[in-house]
Amino acid sequence: MMWFLRFLLWATLLAYPCLRLAGTYQRLLLGTVSVIVGVELLPDARSAPDLAAANMVGLYVAMCLATTSAPRHDRWRAVLIGITVLTGLECATALASFGLSSLEARRGPWPATARAVFEALSSVPRLGAGPAVWLFTLGRWTPWMPTARFKRIAPTQSAA
Amino acid sequence: MLAVPASSRPTPDNLAPPRGPHVVFLVRLVSFWCLGFLIVALVPSVERVAIRGTLATLLPVLRAAFADVRQVVNQVSANGVTLEIVSDCTPLVGIVLLSGAILAYPSSAPLKLVGLAAGWAVLWIYDIARITALIVVLARWPGAFDLTHIYLWQTCTIAVVVGLFLLWTRLVSRGAPA
């Protein structure tokens, strides 16, 4: 439970900085995707920046910092790897969305079912990416993860 | 004296817990999440029922808390604020996340059912409290709405899901045979 309290504390502390950085993060993502697709993409001036992407990075960092059972070096490495992966996932989602829009512009709209499937799958990273990446990088250091139940027999070490 | 080969000396890497079980859990978790979001997307009645249910439970709470509460289709007015209840306003996302975690975790079916039923109920109550809090913030401190909204919608939803999952894993570890 201490992990949970530390996570909540870090997530709360990081919420405001993430809100302030959301616009910059969105421009960074748009810039990256623009370079990849070779088309300049600009943020919609009429709407506020998407706060969820930057906040998800903050949530992920909070999870890493809360995992004090992991060595400090592993925690910081996980922070760096995770931020890169989360940024990559956001770019991949944006690229897929851009690809779908381009395809629709050329060949007409997709069937409603196909679009619903695409939107459903692209919504998974919005709330699941941070916890999933954390589970991969540092989840094994938490005692409440399913080590015991999925346990494989480790090679025995002889002290003789 | 027995010489210990360098490869078998304890180092931070070989003292670390194995990664395998967590990766198995992660793969199952992401699969269940994808399945859950697909069901929500492909069966529109799920979303409709969630919105209708949210409105049905939200209105009595708002009527108890504020005067002059009105509903027009999916829009709710209270405390001088009008909100439209859409899919993201319902507890569906939290329910999918928690259900995926419980279903992916290795435990017995009855314990999973208990976890799902209790978790869904708590998430529903949390969602009603979240919308009520947002109405208060929007009426009194509109400048703080963006921060409060993202904090309650994303940070707190994930925190509630993680907290419920942790509580449930404790229940599972108590019920597990030694």
Side-chain angles (χ1 to χ4, degrees):
Chain A
M1 273 302 139
M2 286 308 291
W3 177 89
F4 179 70
L5 294 177
R6 280 194 300 270
F7 160 61
L8 206 55
L9 181 71
W10 278 114
T12 304
L13 286 173
L14 290 170
Y16 185 69
C18 288
L19 178 84
R20 302 294 302 171
L21 289 171
T24 309
Y25 186 59
Q26 191 175 23
R27 282 194 294 277
L28 170 83
L29 293 174
L30 277 173
T32 309
V33 176
S34 298
V35 168
I36 295 170
V37 299
V39 176
E40 192 184 2
L41 302 171
L42 297 167
D44 186 354
R46 291 164 298 174
S47 61
D50 175 32
L51 305 177
N55 194 55
M56 181 52 81
V57 174
L59 273 169
Y60 171 76
V61 173
M63 285 180 158
C64 290
L65 295 178
T67 315
T68 50
S69 52
R72 189 187 299 259
H73 172 258
D74 281 24
R75 256 180 285 159
W76 286 108
R77 191 172 59 183
V79 167
L80 291 178
I81 291 171
I83 291 175
T84 312
V85 171
L86 289 175
T87 307
L89 276 173
E90 283 292 335
C91 288
T93 309
L95 277 171
S97 188
F98 180 81
L100 178 65
S101 301
S102 306
L103 208 62
E104 281 188 328
R106 284 201 306 271
R107 296 184 184 174
W110 274 29
T113 310
R115 181 158 269 285
V117 168
F118 174 79
E119 282 173 8
L121 294 179
S122 61
S123 71
V124 177
R126 280 176 73 208
L127 279 150
V133 176
W134 170 81
L135 198 59
F136 184 75
T137 53
L138 289 178
R140 62 185 167 146
W141 291 98
T142 52
W144 38 271
M145 274 297 147
T147 312
R149 295 301 192 81
F150 283 132
K151 184 167 69 181
R152 288 182 192 152
I153 297 165
T156 49
Q157 290 180 351
S158 170
Chain B
M1 193 174 145
L2 188 68
V4 179
S7 60
S8 63
R9 280 181 204 142
T11 64
D13 272 348
N14 60 26
L15 281 177
R19 195 188 285 273
H22 301 93
V23 175
V24 173
F25 175 68
L26 176 63
V27 170
R28 290 164 60 120
L29 176 68
V30 174
S31 307
F32 279 119
W33 280 350
C34 289
L35 183 67
F37 283 112
L38 276 175
I39 291 171
V40 172
L42 295 175
V43 187
S45 57
V46 173
E47 210 170 86
R48 277 201 299 272
V49 168
I51 290 173
R52 219 177 296 151
T54 302
L55 281 166
T57 42
L58 177 65
L59 284 169
V61 174
L62 293 182
R63 286 197 179 109
F66 311 111
D68 193 27
V69 175
R70 275 174 293 175
Q71 181 202 352
V72 179
V73 197
N74 289 349
Q75 285 190 339
V76 177
S77 301
N79 206 20
V81 168
T82 301
L83 287 180
E84 183 173 4
I85 304 299
V86 294
S87 181
D88 277 354
C89 304
T90 69
L92 269 182
V93 168
I95 283 174
V96 170
L97 293 178
L98 180 67
S99 305
I102 289 176
L103 293 173
Y105 199 85
S107 80
S108 65
L111 280 173
K112 285 185 182 188
L113 282 176
V114 168
L116 290 174
W120 288 19
V122 173
L123 282 169
W124 202 284
I125 293 166
Y126 164 71
D127 193 60
I128 300 301
R130 180 180 72 89
I131 299 172
T132 310
L134 281 177
I135 288 174
V136 173
V137 169
L138 202 52
R140 292 197 182 177
W141 307 284
F145 179 76
D146 280 346
L147 178 63
T148 315
H149 182 251
I150 196 70
Y151 182 72
L152 290 177
W153 176 72
Q154 200 179 38
T155 305
C156 289
T157 299
I158 289 181
V160 170
V161 167
V162 171
L164 287 170
F165 179 64
L166 285 181
L167 280 174
W168 179 77
T169 54
R170 280 193 164 193
L171 179 78
V172 168
S173 61
R174 275 185 205 161

